[in-house]
Amino acid sequence: MSDLDAIVDEAIELFSKIADAHALEEAKARYLGKTGVLTEALKGLGKLAPEERRARGSSINAAKDRLETALREQRERLQAQQLEAKLRDEALDVTLPGRGAGRGGLHPVSRTLERVEALFRSVGFEVADGPEIESDYYNFTALNQPENHPARSMHDTFYLADGKALLRTHTSPIQVRYMEAHRPPIKIIAPGRVYRVDSDATHSPMFHQVEGLWIDERITFADLKGVVADFFRRFFERDDIRVRFRPSFFPFTEPSAEIDMSFGESWLEVGGCGMVHPSVLRNVKIDPEQYQGFAFGMGLDRLTMLRYGVDDLRLFFANDLRFLRQFA
């Protein structure tokens, strides 16, 4: 065996025993570096005769190729071992359930909204929608509210910076927009978020309403009473619920009434209602001599409080998961 074969065999055996990439590069320098064994052998070629130099140079290059092949193979083995170790250490057992996977659920007010929509759809009402940022016209003027009406005050309404647009204070503007775009018969509910400057245990600056509207040729107050009473009995799933209507005043209905409900001896106000005022019908170009109808409104948050026995409205919007998980 020549001295070059011995050097190569020695280097290959050394490379195969090295388990660290940095140590492998240091071993490479021992043979192929600037002062390495094969490098020094190449430097000595100049002292040889031409024929001997050619043969010796060829042998040195062949030895160098063998070493570089052995180096590449050992690098690849080390990389594969490193990858295998990393995959083993970071392995995920995909047969196990995910850690910390939370279970979500509908917000209680959303549950109430879905229930209300389903109940009214079952008796022929459609669900209408509209913008939450409204103009003074749709929020007040079209609903027969005069310029000096208290509801226009800054104390009750959130006006935008330009003083012209506002956050709707009720979902009645949805009814106005719908009546402008459709001819009777009209039978809709208008649920959604509304905003007023009010905050305590039973009021929130942002809350949810549902309003109803039925316009046709022969709609009477008796129809209003029947629809509302039937809704409450079906919503609370109780046949012993009593509903009464107390005379009241709203600019957009005439006559108007407050809606009270009772499970027993005490009464609770739950909404307002009345026959749509002729001026409101004229504003949307519906002839009040031919058509009439009723409108009603109630708070979805209040219905949710009653259905689930919650006595503080603010709990629904405090984002306390301990409270909300009860309804999931």
Side-chain angles (χ1 to χ4, degrees):
M1 180 183 291
S2 68
D3 58 334
L4 289 176
D5 289 335
I7 291 170
V8 171
D9 291 343
E10 174 189 288
I12 291 175
E13 183 179 0
L14 175 63
F15 294 163
S16 67
K17 295 179 180 179
I18 295 175
D20 179 74
H22 181 70
L24 183 62
E25 297 306 315
E26 290 182 344
K28 170 193 172 184
R30 177 177 172 182
Y31 295 95
L32 298 174
K34 291 183 179 180
T35 59
V37 176
L38 289 184
T39 305
E40 291 298 326
L42 286 170
K43 291 178 181 178
L45 290 177
K47 300 176 182 180
L48 301 177
E51 291 298 327
E52 188 179 358
R53 183 189 309 151
R54 187 178 300 110
R56 182 67 173 175
S58 178
S59 298
I60 293 173
N61 285 333
K64 183 178 179 183
D65 288 344
R66 288 180 61 194
L67 282 183
E68 289 179 341
T69 299
L71 270 171
R72 183 177 64 255
E73 291 175 350
Q74 185 62 13
R75 287 193 189 104
E76 291 174 353
R77 278 193 292 271
L78 291 179
Q79 290 173 355
Q81 291 172 3
Q82 183 180 15
L83 178 59
E84 184 179 351
K86 185 176 182 180
L87 291 174
R88 184 175 59 252
D89 294 340
E90 299 179 2
L92 295 175
D93 186 350
V94 295
T95 64
L96 293 175
R99 295 179 179 87
R103 180 182 176 185
L106 284 177
H107 191 278
V109 175
S110 297
R111 287 178 177 273
T112 297
L113 174 59
E114 286 191 351
R115 182 172 177 79
V116 168
E117 289 184 353
L119 289 173
F120 277 110
R121 278 194 173 106
S122 71
V123 290
F125 283 81
E126 296 182 24
V127 178
D129 194 13
E132 295 181 20
I133 297 178
E134 270 294 1
S135 67
D136 180 273
Y137 173 78
Y138 284 106
N139 200 77
F140 295 125
T141 304
L143 293 163
N144 199 38
Q145 295 192 15
E147 292 290 336
N148 60 351
H149 194 279
R152 294 175 181 262
S153 168
M154 291 290 290
H155 298 293
D156 294 304
T157 305
F158 289 104
Y159 285 91
L160 274 63
D162 61 6
K164 298 178 181 178
L166 51 88
L167 298 181
R168 67 185 182 193
T169 60
H170 45 188
T171 58
S172 300
I174 298 176
Q175 300 180 26
V176 176
R177 291 178 178 274
Y178 194 93
M179 286 189 288
E180 284 184 339
H182 300 80
R183 294 295 89 189
I186 293 171
K187 192 177 183 182
I188 62 168
I189 60 167
R193 282 185 294 266
V194 297
Y195 306 85
R196 294 180 192 173
V197 184
D198 205 355
S199 181
D200 55 43
T202 57
H203 297 84
S204 169
M206 182 283 300
F207 56 103
H208 300 79
Q209 266 192 348
V210 59
E211 297 188 13
L213 176 70
W214 191 354
I215 303 292
D216 208 337
E217 292 186 354
R218 295 181 178 85
I219 301 301
T220 67
F221 205 99
D223 297 306
L224 166 62
K225 295 176 68 176
V227 167
V228 171
D230 177 69
F231 165 73
F232 283 126
R233 294 186 183 111
R234 296 173 68 200
F235 180 82
F236 292 105
E237 299 177 287
R238 294 182 58 165
D239 293 329
D240 61 338
I241 290 178
R242 293 182 296 160
V243 179
R244 73 181 182 187
F245 296 80
R246 287 182 292 109
S248 185
F249 169 78
F250 302 112
F252 33 83
T253 53
E254 180 60 37
S256 303
E258 303 284 357
I259 306 172
D260 296 337
M261 181 183 67
S262 173
F263 293 108
E265 295 183 0
S266 61
W267 291 89
L268 177 67
E269 180 185 321
V270 290
C273 65
M275 301 300 291
V276 178
H277 198 289
S279 295
V280 174
L281 294 177
R282 292 191 189 95
N283 289 337
V284 294
K285 295 181 173 54
I286 293 177
D287 184 1
E289 298 297 326
Q290 181 180 0
Y291 296 103
Q292 62 185 24
F294 63 77
F296 61 84
M298 59 191 75
L300 287 171
D301 308 318
R302 177 69 63 85
L303 292 177
T304 307
M305 293 173 68
L306 293 171
R307 180 167 174 78
Y308 294 111
V310 177
D311 58 6
D312 193 329
L313 176 68
R314 294 167 294 191
L315 291 172
F316 289 128
F317 309 116
N319 295 326
D320 188 334
L321 291 179
R322 295 170 301 176
F323 172 76
L324 295 176
R325 283 195 186 103
Q326 300 176 82
F327 310 95

